Every structure is written in C-alpha cells, then in structure tokens.
C-alpha cells in the first residue's frame, strides 16, 4: 500500500508533537512495509504570518488531494486581534468544511499507569471506555454571526440530514462495542436539540434496533461523566456540547495530552475514509518550545489514522500498545507528573513498536 499524508504542524506545541508523530509514522510504515509519502503545509497562525490567511490555497489543495491529514494544533494570543474568520481557528473550521469531516471521534480510555493523574477517585475509572461522536461541521460554530458594540448573535442551525448522518456513525460504532448510544442535547430549551432528539430516535429505531438508546440533557451528562463514567459506551452530541464535554472527559484519562481524535466524513480512497487526525489539546503557547509537551494524544491520533484511513487495524493496535507500554515503564511528561521530554516519550514508544 502507498499513501500520501499531509502534515500540518500549526502553532505552539504543534510542531513539537508533529515531529514525534512523523517519527511514529516512519517507524510504523517500515514495520508494515508501507510506502507513505508525507508533505508539510501551513495552517493557523503560522500560515497567517507567512501568507496573511489561516488556510492558504496551497495547503487546502494538498489536503484535498491527500489520503489523510495530521494536524498539530492552532492558535495563540498573538493572533487574537484578528477578525474571527482570519484567526488561526478559522483555518481549522475551513479545513473541516473542505474535507467534509462531519463526525469527530474522540475515544476516552484511561491507561492503568495514569489513573493517579486523574482528579477522580480511582474506583470511578475502572472499565471506563467511551467513544464520543461529536458533530463537527454544523451548529453554532458554523452559523451566521453578528457582532456590534452593544449586541452580538451566534445562530445555531441543524438540518435533519446533518443529525442523521452523525447518529449513524454512533450507531455503527455501538454495534462494534457494547451496543449502547447516549445522545446528549438540551431539548428542554433549544429547538435544535428537540430536532436532534427526534431524528436520533428515528435513526436508531429504524436502522439500529439492536442498539440501546438513552438521552441525557447536557448539564446532566456533564455530571454523569464524573459520577458514572464507566456506564457510557458511545456518546453522540452536537458540535459545541461535544467540544466542551470531551475536554471534561480528558480528566478521566488524567491529561488532555493523552487523547486523540479522528474527524471523518464520507469521502473514501482505495484504503479507507479520508480523515483529519489531531490530538484534542490546543497549542499550549505557555509551554511551546520547551520540549515538554505530551505527544501521546498526537501519536494515538496516528494510530486512528492507520485504523480508519488505511484499514490497518493491527498496526493501529500496535501503536496503542506501545503507548501503554511506555506509560507502564514510567515514562511520562510533566503533565502526568513525570520529567521526560517530548522526544524521550516518543522514542520510548517507538522502542515498544513491534
């Protein structure tokens, strides 16, 4: 198999974790005798500084032609004065729309070696294995916006089709797991949430009768993520709620630096789904350049890339096992209470990749 990956290092700690991700890609490709070509493009603040826009046409074209895209992180305080569409985050929203990656998969499964890094009691973390499916190209992030000196508005819109395709992703994943979907909304207040709940009921009843469905209001879901996390299987929700809840869920694992994500749509290549892969953490400008960022979320995102875009489930599992083995060896960056550098963490994981 041969494939083309576009690397978007981005801003802050993005280039640091991307360097380790590239090391993992090369090691895994060599292990499995794969021919993978990587090219590097600009996005975010780095792109603004170089070209004046957060997603240059050259980057957009390269991503459109790639089998998969790896993203480090974007953003930083030096670009906050830009108008919203020209901020680094605007480039990320453009990229998601460009690739049609409407479903964001965020697995949350604490490692045994990092249980003590979580602020939750260890007893609550046993058997936690959650897959969050977040709708990614609709809702309030993409709705019309107005902003004045004394008034501002952000429109939240969803269509039934946008909801249904996301719920189908959750249903398919649940069939491969424990067969339970929890849908999160705010249907007691929001019209979009009432549509979300109705469409969710219809899709699961009509297409996934073997899957159990429960509904939770978003405020209750936030509470239950901390009080009964092991009872969740697949959790599906809209764009903003998913963004917030997965940051909360990262504390189950002990650090945002551990969690990966895969953004998928319906576009396919001969190998699998075209996807955008990135850790859920941000650019962390406060530690950028210090070489202490946790690369595990980025590396786990590489594993998801091999699973979903390249159909290499065994190779993905090997990368995930290597992460666990390095953590079990006591290798840890400062966010987990350790003293190892980003590069040392990466090399430890490579050493376990077999």
């Amino acid at each position: 198999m041969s494939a083309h990956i576009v690397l978007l290092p981005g801003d802050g700690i993005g280039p640091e974790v991307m360097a380790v991700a590239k090391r993992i890609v090369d090691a895994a490709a060599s292990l499995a005798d794969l021919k993978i070509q990587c090219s590097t493009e600009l996005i975010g603040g780095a792109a603004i500084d170089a070209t004046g826009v957060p997603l240059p046409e050259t980057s957009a074209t390269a991503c459109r032609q790639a089998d998969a895209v790896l993203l480090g992180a974007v953003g930083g305080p030096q670009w906050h004065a830009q108008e919203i569409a020209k901020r680094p985050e605007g480039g990320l929203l453009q990229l998601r729309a460009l690739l049609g990656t409407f479903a964001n998969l965020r697995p949350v499964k604490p490692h045994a070696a990092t249980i003590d890094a979580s602020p939750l009691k260890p007893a609550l973390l046993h058997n936690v294995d959650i897959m969050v499916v977040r709708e990614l190209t609709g809702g309030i992030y993409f709705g019309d916006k107005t902003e004045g000196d004394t008034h501002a508005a952000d429109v939240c819109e969803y269509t039934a089709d946008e909801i249904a395709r996301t719920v189908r992703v959750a249903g398919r994943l649940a069939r491969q797991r424990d067969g339970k979907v929890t849908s999160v909304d705010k249907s007691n207040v929001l019209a979009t949430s009432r549509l979300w709940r109705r469409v969710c009921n219809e899709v699961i009843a009509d297409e996934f009768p073997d899957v159990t469905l429960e509904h939770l209001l978003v405020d209750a879901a936030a509470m239950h993520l901390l009080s009964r996390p092991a009872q969740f299987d697949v959790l599906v929700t809209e764009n903003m709620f998913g963004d917030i809840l997965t940051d909360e869920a990262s504390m189950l694992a002990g650090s945002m630096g551990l969690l990966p994500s895969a953004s998928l749509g319906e576009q396919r290549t001969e190998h699998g789904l075209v996807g955008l892969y990135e850790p859920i953490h941000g650019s962390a400008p406060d530690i950028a350049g210090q070489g202490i960022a946790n690369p595990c979320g980025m590396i786990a995102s590489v594993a998801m890339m091999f699973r979903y875009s390249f159909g290499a489930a065994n190779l993905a599992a090997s990368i995930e096992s290597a992460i666990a083995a390095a953590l079990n060896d006591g290798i840890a960056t400062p966010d987990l209470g350790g003293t190892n550098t980003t590069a040392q963490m990466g090399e430890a994981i490579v050493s376990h990749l077999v």
Side-chain angles (χ1 to χ4, degrees), residues 78-215:
Q78 62 267 52
W79 299 289
H80 285 177
Q82 300 274 2
E83 61 180 277
I84 187 65
K86 294 184 178 180
R87 289 181 187 174
E89 295 79 6
L92 178 55
L93 295 181
Q94 292 174 45
L95 182 60
R96 291 169 178 171
L98 174 74
L99 298 178
T101 53
F102 62 83
N104 181 233
L105 279 55
R106 298 188 171 192
V108 182
K109 187 175 182 180
H111 294 277
T114 65
I115 292 293
D116 289 340
S118 172
L120 273 69
K121 296 177 180 178
L124 291 173
L125 301 175
H126 294 308
N127 300 316
V128 169
D129 185 356
I130 306 169
M131 177 64 80
V132 180
V133 180
R134 168 192 172 193
E135 197 288 323
L136 200 61
T137 56
I140 200 167
Y141 289 4
F142 286 85
D144 291 338
K145 305 179 189 304
T146 58
E147 184 174 355
D149 292 337
T150 60
H151 176 266
D154 296 280
V155 176
C156 183
E157 289 184 301
Y158 272 110
T159 67
D161 287 343
E162 286 176 319
I163 298 166
R165 66 185 184 180
T166 305
V167 174
R168 288 189 186 100
V169 172
R172 289 193 290 267
L173 287 167
R175 276 182 169 165
Q176 301 167 15
R177 294 166 54 92
D178 290 338
K180 180 181 178 181
V181 170
T182 300
S183 176
V184 176
D185 60 43
K186 191 62 176 172
S187 57
N188 59 335
V189 175
L190 302 178
T192 48
S193 281
R194 287 189 287 275
L195 177 64
W196 182 283
R197 185 171 291 210
R198 176 171 62 80
V199 173
C200 189
N201 282 333
E202 292 171 355
V203 170
I204 295 298
D206 293 345
E207 303 179 31
F208 303 92
D210 51 327
V211 169
T212 300
L213 173 65
E214 73 167 345
H215 296 281

Side-chain angles (χ1 to χ4, degrees), residues 7 17-27 38-39 70 298 302:
L7 310 179
V17 297
M18 185 61 75
V20 176
K22 176 63 164 57
R23 178 85 172 86
I24 297 295
V25 169
D26 291 343
C38 295
S39 61
L70 286 177
M298 185 78 247
V302 171

